[in-house]
Amino acid sequence: MLYGKRQTVTHAERWTLVLAVVVVAIAGLLPVLVVIAESVTVEGYMSFESYNALLSSPRQWRWLGNTVLLGVLVASVSMAVGLPLGLLLAKTDLPFRSALAVLFTVPLLLPPYILALAWFHVLGRGGLLTQWFSPALGELTHEVLFGLPGSVLVLSSSLMPVVLLMTIAFTRTVHPLLEEAALMTAPWRSVLTGITLPLIRPGVLLGGLLVFLLATGEFAVPMFLRFDVYAVESFTQFAAFYQPGAATAFAVPLAFVAFVALTLERVHLRDRTYEVRFASPRSGLLTVPLGPLRPLVMGAVLLAWLLIIGLPLGSLVAASAVGGNYSEALGRSWDALLRSVAYATTGATLLTVLGFFIGYIVQRRSLPGWRSVDSLTILLFALPSTVIGVGLVTLWNRPLLGAIYGTPLLVLIGYVAQYIALTSRISVAGLSSVPRSMEEAAQLSGASWFRRVGLIVAPLTGRALGAGWLIGYLFCLRDTGLSMMIYPAGGDPLPVRTFTMMANGAPALVAALCVIMVAAALVPLLIVGLIFAGASRENAQAA
Amino acid sequence: MRGVELEGVSLDYGNRAILCNISLCIEPGERIVLLGPSGSGKSSVLRLVAGFQAPTMGVIRLGGEVVARDGRITVPPERRGVGMVFQNLALWPHLTVHGNLDFGLKVRGIHKKEREQRISDMLDLVGLKPFARSLTTRMSGGEQQRVALARALVLRPDTLLMDEPLSSLDDELNQQLRREIKRLHAELSFTLLYVTHRVDEVADLAGRVIRLHKGNAIPASDQFGA
């Protein structure tokens, strides 16, 4: 259905949606503009001094090279692993595919530095390899871990699920008829390479791009593994030396990299990755029979999970299991844990509500400039947390704004800025399954826009909103970079406290804190999983 | 009952003209079929009358009252006294048949007792009383069509708009529902604008046919080569 400029939009609808855009702009766009303005200002005058210093130093260019190299390598490895794995889990008759997809997604739910620590317990000096094989081997892997290869390994295992999930989601949007038509003349292998893969390519490329951007913006892992990248330098300038000018100047190249990458996405993938519809019933999808290879493939997939995820996380649990650590860890982090859950719950709720309205603008094209709104949210998601963090502090750290700065409100504003793209894109997907005509039918019945949204659209997108809330919760809970820069005094969340303790805490205690963090992320996921499974069973019985 | 009048109505999407200077006058209680191939602008006429879009140029009147003029909506859809059966039916899947019918009545603040009476009468009229508490997703195509019709009619619209509502049904069911539409029209006397591209539906339903081609209304004398 084509909607032109002259479709009817009520005042209530327009002003509610405009308000949502204004909130996102204040939370995200304004801090970024402040970062850019600050980077060209010295003592109130325009100056490119920071950039001159930046560009004239060979070290800066090395860091920029390191940053881009890290991003490219992590994206490449993630796509090399995530794409075939995603196809296996979405398109074949492999048993327990849903459970396996969840298992492979676990690292995405954790702050990446936890995986760095987990890999340290495997590959580091005195780690599992040393214990199982020889100190010489442990020494060798320790050398490899600290530097580029280790950073690539850790960030790939952490971010690969992005490509995996995008592959699964886009594979489910391929209409079975397209594959059936090809199957009339070609075997499955040709159908996959000639039809399915080209159709899902935009989604997979978008996944790779997101991984690239997330990897270039990550500072905790390279900092722990001592690999010099821009994000680390920007964070250090801000947190260690408190030089906001230098920090903003360091942040701008990262913002520029994100901007260029997203512009490329818009040019090449425009309109092809807007809507990921929610999976149609699985019975409606065609699956590739693995035949006699099924047990072998299952074994290989399980082995891959064990090596990539099970081994490092298992070693972390083993390291934490030294007597008394959990009670001590809980005693020292109970307040931070509760705070984390409170921040994440409130943040997820805000993100769900705002994300719904932003998704509504994008999917229904209700406001002029809807494409810019969508681009803004994606840009904010792709920007390194240091850019947004520096911007928020610079913008809000003013005497008149004390009611916000130095309070949890600033953390929530930061969450909205960084993660609104997640919930808005999920809302877009959910809204795409609710035809506009359903709203129009309600409108003809006399329902106001709020009633149409509250009584028709929201209930029909309930599943998407629930998924959005959960993803928002998990991303707020795992957030480290942003929280580290803007948490109020005495109000640090658990990932920040754990990261801080990594510098001087006992390894077993830090490991126990990490395991508590893992549990805080997984418990709600399990609860929601059980609720969804129960609802699916009831639906199946009712049908 | 109110008549429908379009005077010099044009509709553009950017540079693309959807409707070109169309003028129509539909008498109250008349049964009009809009016929034309895909892309001829039939559905756009319904959307303009419903008030989901404003004409780029021209005036739309319902019962003599101007409801849209030159790019502006002057009376919103919910106050036009118009009901619509959508091509995809647009039944709300999370509500029962009763819930689908009750929604509009409730929104309009009608007392519960009267709502129940009107829903009961309407379900009787379309033969769906036993399905009142069923979810529409569990019903057959023909039953869903009847729910959509009942949902539009329970609000007692002056004008009923139907956008290819029977296009997805087999011939037998299509004929049966056409009979029902004619019966309901005779009983309730609403003005009917029915959009289709099927000639058999035209012959059966039309009191008058308006043919659209590439956004232009073809004069009655030219229809079917007459």
Side-chain angles (χ1 to χ4, degrees), chain B residues 11-201:
Chain B
L11 180 69
D12 301 338
Y13 290 135
N15 294 328
R16 194 172 143 217
I18 307 296
L19 295 172
C20 311
N21 195 26
I22 282 187
S23 294
L24 301 173
C25 188
I26 300 163
E27 295 299 325
E30 207 178 352
R31 217 166 58 204
I32 295 288
V33 172
L34 285 172
L35 177 69
S38 296
S40 59
K42 309 181 298 287
S43 296
S44 298
V45 170
L46 292 199
R47 295 181 64 78
L48 288 172
V49 174
F52 298 137
Q53 282 170 302
T56 314
M57 291 274 288
V59 182
I60 300 173
R61 293 189 192 87
L62 292 179
E65 183 188 7
V66 174
V67 293
R69 177 196 286 273
D70 299 337
R72 280 183 55 237
I73 301 271
T74 50
V75 176
E78 61 271 25
R79 283 199 259 128
R80 291 189 176 196
V82 169
M84 186 158 177
V85 179
F86 294 82
Q87 190 172 7
N88 64 357
L89 303 184
L91 294 174
W92 301 309
H94 61 304
L95 300 179
T96 60
V97 171
H98 182 279
N100 267 273
L101 268 64
D102 194 36
F103 181 87
L105 296 171
K106 210 171 177 175
V107 163
R108 287 169 189 222
I110 294 169
H111 193 268
K112 186 170 171 54
K113 198 174 165 189
E114 190 191 336
R115 292 202 320 257
E116 291 304 325
Q117 188 58 52
R118 278 169 71 164
I119 291 169
S120 169
D121 291 348
M122 186 49 66
L123 290 179
D124 250 349
L125 205 60
V126 295
L128 284 178
K129 209 155 193 186
F131 296 94
R133 301 293 160 189
S134 302
L135 283 173
T136 55
T137 46
R138 309 254 162 84
M139 301 172 85
S140 71
E143 288 159 354
Q144 288 183 349
Q145 299 280 351
R146 286 197 185 94
V147 177
L149 195 56
R151 185 180 66 182
L153 290 176
V154 77
L155 298 171
R156 297 180 183 163
D158 294 319
T159 306
L160 181 65
L161 312 172
M162 301 184 84
D163 189 1
E164 305 203 36
L166 310 181
S167 57
S168 61
L169 302 181
D170 62 48
D171 284 348
E172 196 182 330
L173 198 52
N174 188 312
Q175 277 177 23
Q176 188 190 331
L177 282 166
R178 277 182 340 228
R179 279 196 296 276
E180 291 209 22
I181 291 168
K182 281 197 288 186
R183 179 176 61 82
L184 289 168
H185 179 260
E187 281 187 38
L188 304 173
S189 307
F190 45 82
T191 308
L192 175 66
L193 254 86
Y194 187 100
V195 158
T196 186
H197 61 273
R198 287 180 54 157
V199 177
D200 57 335
E201 289 184 8

Side-chain angles (χ1 to χ4, degrees), chain A residues 1-5 7 364 436-437 440, chain B residues 13 47 53:
Chain A
M1 189 74 74
L2 191 60
Y3 290 97
K5 284 179 184 172
Q7 74 184 73
R364 301 293 205 231
R436 179 107 194 181
S437 55
E440 289 171 346
Chain B
Y13 290 135
R47 295 181 64 78
Q53 282 170 302

Side-chain angles (χ1 to χ4, degrees), chain A residues 154-206:
Chain A
V154 171
L155 286 175
S156 299
S157 58
S158 172
L159 299 174
M160 181 276 289
V162 173
V163 179
L164 175 87
L165 292 175
M166 293 293 260
T167 305
I168 292 176
F170 275 79
T171 303
R172 286 179 174 174
T173 65
V174 176
H175 200 289
L177 281 178
L178 299 176
E179 291 171 329
E180 275 170 353
L183 277 171
M184 307 289 282
T185 55
W188 256 118
R189 186 183 301 175
S190 307
V191 174
L192 281 178
T193 53
I195 305 294
T196 315
L197 274 176
L199 285 172
I200 66 169
R201 189 170 52 202
V204 177
L205 287 176
L206 180 64

